[in-house]
Amino acid sequence: MNYFPDEVIEHVFDFVTSQRDRNAISLVCKSWYKIERYSRQRVFIGNCYAINPERLLGRFPCLRSLTLKGKPHFADFNLVPHEWGGFVQPWIEALARSRLGLEELRLKRMVVTDVSLELLSRSFPNFKSLVLVSCEGFTTDGLASIAANCRHLRDLDLQENEIDDHRGQWLSCFPDTCTTLVTLNFACLEGETNLVALERLVARSPNLKSLKLNRAVPLDALARLMVCAPQIVDLGVGSYENDPDSESYLKLQAAIKKCTSLKRLSGFLEASPHCLSAFHPICHNLTSLNLSYAAEIHGSHLIKLIQHCKKLQRLWILDSIGDKGLAVVASTCKELQELRVFPTDLLGGGNTAVTEDGLVAISAGCPKLHSILYFCQQMTNAALITVAKNCPNFIRFRLCILEPNKPDHVTSQPLDEGFGAIVQACKNLRRLSLSGLLTDQVFQYIGMYATQLEMLSIAFAGDTDKGMLYVLNGCKKMRKLEIRDSPFGDTALLADVNKYQTMRSLWMSSCEVTLGGCKRLAQKAPWLNVEIINENDNNRMEENGHEGRQKVDKLYLYRTVVGTRTDAPPFVWIL
Amino acid sequence: MITELEMGKAESELELGLGLSLGGGTASKIGKSGGVGGSGAWGERGRLLTAKDFPSVGSKRAADSASHAGASPPRSSQVVGWPPIGSHRMNSLVNNQAAKSAREEEEAGKKKVKDDETKDVTKKANGKVQVGFIKVNMDGVAIGRKVDLNAHSSYENLAQTLEDMFFRNNPGTIGLTGQFTKPLRLLDGSSEFVLTYEDKEGDWMLVGDVPWRMFITSVKRLRVMKTSEANGLAARHQEPNERQRNQPV
């Protein structure tokens, strides 16, 4: 069957990098399975409880790079209690015991402790890259171990983590011999930063391409850093407040002009907007601009900046940009692929910063747009239908109308037709988030048309179980379904138990599922972990014969090959 | 868990320092006369704020079934976990809103409290106010929480939130402190726990000794401490976070 020696096949496999493709390869025959598993270097695990480290290492003994995700997505919005789980410690312990040549670890929504970080730093001599996204449980002491012990560290990328900042000297823990840094992102740290240590570190890192500073790095320090690192590609500005006549600012202007490789810009956690013009000379090179934390940049200064950014592919912005600002984006940024507009006014007050008009303008002006996240106060079916016509290429479409259950503000109708148009036109849609007033009809459309849909987020939507059934029956590629505050119950949950074998997970909170329903599901599907997260009074979830009426507050179920997890806290009941 | 009670305005009609005489500190009362500022009132007031009083917090189902809900649908800011913005981003947003309203107040020339307190509020670089979410740790609980100071108008308000957070109906402490079934009264010294805070200078103080406004500009973090450990609070004492760390490097 094999006409080539294994080494040749392996060499061919080296060109296959996507995990899905490699998974497919491994199913072809036993021989290919064997070759593939020994040559696999990168593994992505979307749910850390679907498998355990021993099984992972058993199959892929030559692993170099591991990506793990822990808590469900809704944990980002505080719907999952902190102690729910997602601990990385057992993984690091197992990897350390196996003497694996681990080089890269990427974690998302996991609990990481200083102990874990220290163990990590001491166990893998070739460790190069640590990326932590939305993690928690560690302090700057843990960062100090990484800095001190990882001799070949290339990437330390901390994105939106909860880190207890001990205001220690972690930056000075990088030894003088460490010159290999390529990425250094500590924007999420809240405490003070040792500027001298930072400057020396940057000065001795000639390969540094990505530098994202925290709030504690002022403009004059930024100027000095940029002088040391003109090769920078990705810059996160910390604090950007200064007097435009000051010497630091002049120095900064000069330094920026030399950063001809700069492509991505973010930060401006505090900013004096009139100083933004220092960046104008390089704006024409920018492909990515993230001003979603820059609350002080708006109005004419923002517009002027954007007008210089003709090559922008990715823009993350606050809704203070307004519909007018979005019109400027639409006419300037013809290469735009991804747009995210975040809200500034959470009170739902009269400040209608962006409306459906802004969204329509963008869809009309940016032909390459494929991903959008849009927070707004109001929407209409007509606008969504227009957007669908203008942009049939959406892969991700996430619309969040701030007020739950809000209808089309012109016709007072539900937004079923608008979202229906989106799913019908966008044949490659993989991710969808719904909002506004929606009936079962929208789910019928989704079930019918959204054939490629993999992730769906539902909140305050639908009328009956039929809604959820349309989705479960129709969306063959569904992987992650998350539902809150919608009237779906046991009938929908239990209709097709085997469906959950094809999905990574299902989240349902404040819906109509009952304890009885969940128990029946758990019985029918022993390969599922059915978790009830109970935030009501102690011990209310008991055997008391009324299970058919006892509504479950939070249900999280996921397929797994390793059975019930053993680290669940007392308020999580695994059926 | 971050509480999402009324983000934004911290209008306070009830700024009370209710005989907060922990260890004999001075009781400062800045309150409307005839309001609920009486020292004995804490106990009663503490019981008034229950989940029923915020019918739209939580699920749509809860809103529907709450008895004195009032007919209005849940506002965006009153529903738990809504709008779906990551907590890191939410923190940043709240801090910015607080800074903006502090600046606006300053510009409008209002002086709500004494001059030196106004100066405190605006003393930071360029008048930024770094209030918002601060960390709260409790003795015996491994993972800390955060509380939004901007959403509170008084000590009693804050104490109630913390009580809810750590002692009642809370997944984080069921099994840890589940044995407490009565209200904790963190401020009046009658319970096993007291509320303390670390100020800008790094000193740990009992909560309640200074006017609320001054408190929120000087507080860095909170700790719910066992009363038995709170003696001699003015003296140096152990970093509360040492308990949480395993081994610092």
Side-chain angles (χ1 to χ4, degrees):
Chain A
M1 169 125 175
N2 281 327
Y3 302 119
F4 303 110
D6 287 359
E7 299 78 43
V8 174
I9 298 184
E10 189 180 319
H11 184 63
V12 173
F13 287 179
D14 282 347
F15 293 96
V16 181
T17 48
S18 120
Q19 174 146 311
R20 287 189 192 186
D21 289 344
R22 290 200 73 117
N23 287 346
I25 285 178
S26 64
L27 293 174
V28 168
C29 63
K30 282 206 179 100
S31 160
W32 281 27
Y33 177 88
K34 190 172 132 223
I35 297 171
E36 198 282 318
R37 69 181 262 252
Y38 282 108
S39 62
R40 177 94 72 124
Q41 295 189 342
R42 325 180 70 90
V43 174
F44 166 84
I45 294 179
N47 175 4
C48 65
Y49 290 119
I51 185 108
N52 63 26
E54 289 72 32
R55 297 268 303 250
L56 172 70
L57 291 169
R59 180 162 171 198
F60 300 117
C62 303
L63 198 53
R64 299 246 188 104
S65 162
L66 178 63
T67 302
L68 280 173
K69 291 190 177 180
K71 299 183 194 174
H73 175 230
F74 275 179
D76 286 351
F77 319 128
N78 294 316
L79 288 177
V80 177
H82 280 266
E83 303 82 352
W84 173 84
F87 307 106
V88 79
Q89 180 69 10
W91 290 86
I92 296 185
E93 280 174 5
L95 294 170
R97 273 197 302 270
S98 73
R99 301 184 187 289
L100 199 68
L102 191 70
E103 292 181 12
E104 195 176 289
L105 185 64
R106 307 165 66 96
L107 304 176
K108 187 166 185 180
R109 291 191 206 100
M110 296 204 62
V111 176
V112 179
T113 60
D114 289 346
V115 167
S116 304
L117 289 174
E118 160 121 37
L119 182 59
L120 177 68
S121 73
R122 291 197 189 280
S123 308
F124 308 106
N126 270 342
F127 192 75
K128 294 197 171 73
S129 179
L130 181 64
V131 180
L132 301 177
V133 180
S134 301
C135 296
E136 58 174 353
F138 60 106
T139 78
T140 45
D141 293 345
L143 297 180
S145 337
I146 297 288
N149 302 327
C150 300
R151 290 173 194 284
H152 304 291
L153 195 68
R154 231 179 29 204
D155 308 310
L156 180 59
D157 191 355
L158 309 168
Q159 300 175 27
E160 307 202 333
N161 301 288
E162 295 279 318
I163 306 176
D164 215 347
D165 196 330
H166 285 173
R167 267 163 251 112
Q169 297 300 316
W170 69 279
L171 272 171
S172 31
C173 292
F174 283 99
D176 288 338
T177 46
C178 174
T179 57
T180 46
L181 273 182
V182 173
T183 303
L184 179 64
N185 173 5
F186 59 96
C188 60
L189 281 179
E190 293 293 326
E192 282 147 33
T193 295
N194 181 335
L195 296 174
V196 170
L198 175 63
E199 285 170 38
R200 286 183 24 213
L201 179 61
V202 170
R204 66 177 185 275
S205 303
N207 297 326
L208 192 69
K209 294 283 188 308
S210 173
L211 177 64
K212 293 187 183 166
L213 309 167
N214 73 346
R215 197 183 288 267
V217 180
L219 191 144
D220 53 319
L222 175 66
R224 290 194 293 276
L225 289 166
M226 292 185 79
V227 169
C228 294
Q231 75 282 5
I232 206 93
V233 173
D234 186 358
L235 177 67
V237 172
S239 177
Y240 196 70
E241 291 176 319
N242 214 319
D243 180 359
D245 294 327
S246 74
E247 203 182 303
S248 303
Y249 183 66
L250 296 171
K251 195 164 156 185
L252 179 68
Q253 277 182 311
I256 290 176
K257 287 208 182 95
K258 298 219 174 81
C259 294
T260 51
S261 305
L262 191 58
K263 289 212 165 59
R264 300 190 280 277
L265 190 58
S266 59
F268 297 95
L269 308 171
E270 290 166 358
S272 305
H274 43 266
C275 293
L276 276 182
S277 49
F279 283 96
H280 289 178
I282 49 90
C283 280
H284 61 273
N285 287 332
L286 288 183
T287 58
S288 168
L289 182 60
N290 178 356
L291 296 176
S292 62
Y293 282 94
E296 290 160 296
I297 299 183
H298 47 76
S300 58
H301 298 287
L302 173 60
I303 301 296
K304 278 207 202 100
L305 186 74
I306 289 185
Q307 281 169 328
H308 283 91
C309 298
K310 298 202 188 332
K311 286 219 202 117
L312 218 52
Q313 293 171 15
R314 184 163 76 156
L315 176 63
W316 290 23
I317 198 84
L318 291 170
D319 66 2
S320 46
I321 192 175
D323 285 338
K324 289 218 177 77
L326 288 177
V328 173
V329 173
S331 61
T332 309
C333 308
K334 295 302 182 185
E335 303 294 315
L336 196 66
Q337 297 175 21
E338 179 186 330
L339 174 68
R340 293 195 189 190
V341 180
F342 293 96
T344 46
D345 174 16
L346 298 173
L347 296 175
N351 177 24
T352 50
V354 298
T355 70
E356 68 272 24
D357 293 338
L359 183 60
V360 170
I362 291 282
S363 72
C366 305
K368 300 195 179 173
L369 191 66
H370 59 60
S371 295
I372 190 156
L373 169 61
Y374 197 79
F375 284 85
C376 58
Q377 306 276 2
Q378 62 188 46
M379 188 50 57
T380 64
N381 283 309
L384 287 173
I385 291 168
T386 306
V387 168
K389 217 163 24 162
N390 291 338
C391 276
N393 296 321
F394 275 121
I395 300 176
R396 293 170 206 96
F397 188 86
R398 299 160 69 187
L399 180 67
C400 181
I401 301 164
L402 289 166
E403 188 186 316
N405 291 319
K406 189 158 182 190
D408 178 321
H409 76 92
V410 167
T411 65
S412 299
Q413 292 297 301
L415 290 171
D416 300 333
E417 297 307 311
F419 280 106
I422 295 281
V423 294
Q424 197 172 357
C426 303
K427 309 224 186 304
N428 294 321
L429 195 66
R430 295 205 304 250
R431 182 169 180 182
L432 178 64
S433 299
L434 305 170
S435 58
L437 181 65
L438 296 165
T439 72
D440 284 347
Q441 179 63 69
V442 73
F443 298 110
Q444 187 174 25
Y445 289 141
I446 292 174
M448 254 194 316
Y449 297 114
T451 54
Q452 304 301 310
L453 198 62
E454 297 178 5
M455 182 168 178
L456 179 61
S457 307
I458 302 171
F460 306 100
D463 304 313
T464 72
D465 279 335
K466 280 207 283 198
M468 186 169 163
L469 283 169
Y470 285 132
V471 172
L472 291 175
N473 292 332
C475 300
K476 302 294 179 205
K477 300 226 174 145
M478 185 61 66
R479 288 189 304 122
K480 287 184 281 186
L481 182 56
E482 46 187 29
I483 307 174
R484 61 166 293 179
D485 294 90
S486 300
F488 306 135
D490 296 341
T491 308
L493 181 70
L494 292 164
D496 179 8
V497 166
N498 286 326
K499 173 72 178 171
Y500 305 127
Q501 261 182 7
T502 64
M503 288 169 55
R504 184 189 297 172
S505 63
L506 168 68
W507 168 280
M508 291 180 77
S509 58
S510 306
C511 296
E512 302 289 315
V513 292
T514 69
L515 179 58
C518 292
K519 280 191 169 174
R520 282 204 300 286
L521 176 61
Q523 267 170 349
K524 287 190 184 184
W527 36 267
L528 272 187
N529 274 355
V530 178
E531 297 194 5
I532 312 286
I533 299 169
N534 176 25
E535 292 186 295
N536 295 317
D537 294 330
N538 230 344
N539 298 327
R540 235 190 58 184
M541 289 274 128
E542 280 178 348
E543 328 281 337
N544 60 7
H546 294 298
E547 294 164 359
R549 291 200 290 282
Q550 230 177 350
K551 296 234 175 85
V552 160
D553 195 36
K554 293 176 184 174
L555 163 67
Y556 180 53
L557 61 85
Y558 51 90
R559 64 184 176 192
T560 176
V561 294
V562 292
T564 308
R565 61 184 174 112
T566 51
D567 61 359
F571 55 86
V572 172
W573 188 7
I574 306 184
L575 299 174
Chain B
M1 271 207 333
I2 298 175
T3 60
E4 295 190 343
L5 307 169
E6 292 137 4
M7 286 209 182
K9 294 197 184 151
E11 293 293 325
S12 55
E13 297 194 341
L14 309 159
E15 284 192 78
L16 54 90
L18 305 152
L20 299 164
S21 49
L22 296 161
T26 51
S28 41
K29 290 189 188 189
I30 311 170
K32 291 197 163 179
S33 59
V36 270
S39 53
W42 162 237
E44 302 153 55
R45 295 255 320 138
R47 296 323 304 131
L48 285 175
L49 298 177
T50 65
K52 285 214 185 96
D53 294 306
F54 301 102
S56 44
V57 171
S59 63
K60 176 165 127 181
R61 180 169 13 110
D64 291 339
S65 60
S67 44
H68 37 272
S72 56
R75 280 193 328 165
S76 170
S77 59
Q78 289 178 325
V79 178
V80 172
W82 190 266
I85 299 175
S87 42
H88 193 263
R89 195 176 285 284
M90 194 75 101
N91 250 349
S92 175
L93 195 55
V94 169
N95 268 344
N96 281 313
Q97 279 186 338
K100 203 164 94 165
S101 48
R103 255 202 308 282
E104 280 165 5
E105 272 185 27
E106 191 196 339
E107 279 159 21
K110 286 191 212 162
K111 290 192 185 218
K112 284 195 169 180
V113 293
K114 294 183 285 211
D115 280 5
D116 56 351
E117 286 177 8
T118 310
K119 279 195 214 129
D120 265 349
V121 167
T122 57
K123 205 173 16 176
K124 300 217 126 238
N126 296 20
K128 298 295 163 345
V129 174
Q130 297 292 334
V131 195
F133 286 95
I134 60 164
K135 295 205 170 155
V136 190
N137 290 94
M138 178 171 143
D139 287 1
V141 177
I143 297 189
R145 295 293 152 81
K146 279 191 174 181
V147 67
D148 174 12
L149 287 184
N150 287 327
H152 297 86
S153 51
S154 66
Y155 285 118
E156 148 204 298
N157 215 210
L158 175 65
Q160 182 64 56
T161 298
L162 294 178
E163 206 175 297
D164 286 343
M165 200 182 262
F166 285 105
F167 295 103
R168 211 173 334 122
N169 300 334
N170 193 288
T173 52
I174 288 176
L176 289 162
T177 56
Q179 66 268 32
F180 294 106
T181 51
K182 40 188 172 69
L184 254 297
R185 302 202 166 109
L186 290 168
L187 295 178
D188 67 3
S190 70
S191 81
E192 201 180 307
F193 290 88
V194 291
L195 186 56
T196 64
Y197 73 102
E198 183 183 12
D199 72 4
K200 300 275 180 234
E201 277 93 56
D203 297 322
W204 284 87
M205 327 262 275
L206 290 170
V207 163
D209 285 348
V210 300
W212 174 255
R213 287 265 155 171
M214 195 184 286
F215 167 71
I216 62 173
T217 59
S218 61
V219 62
K220 271 199 319 216
R221 52 184 163 169
L222 294 168
R223 177 179 165 194
V224 179
M225 192 188 300
K226 288 205 166 78
T227 309
S228 50
E229 285 192 28
N231 292 325
L233 201 57
R236 294 288 315 274
H237 81 97
Q238 168 192 13
E239 273 288 286
N241 285 334
E242 268 184 296
R243 177 188 340 284
Q244 284 179 45
R245 305 302 146 238
N246 296 288
Q247 285 131 21
V249 165

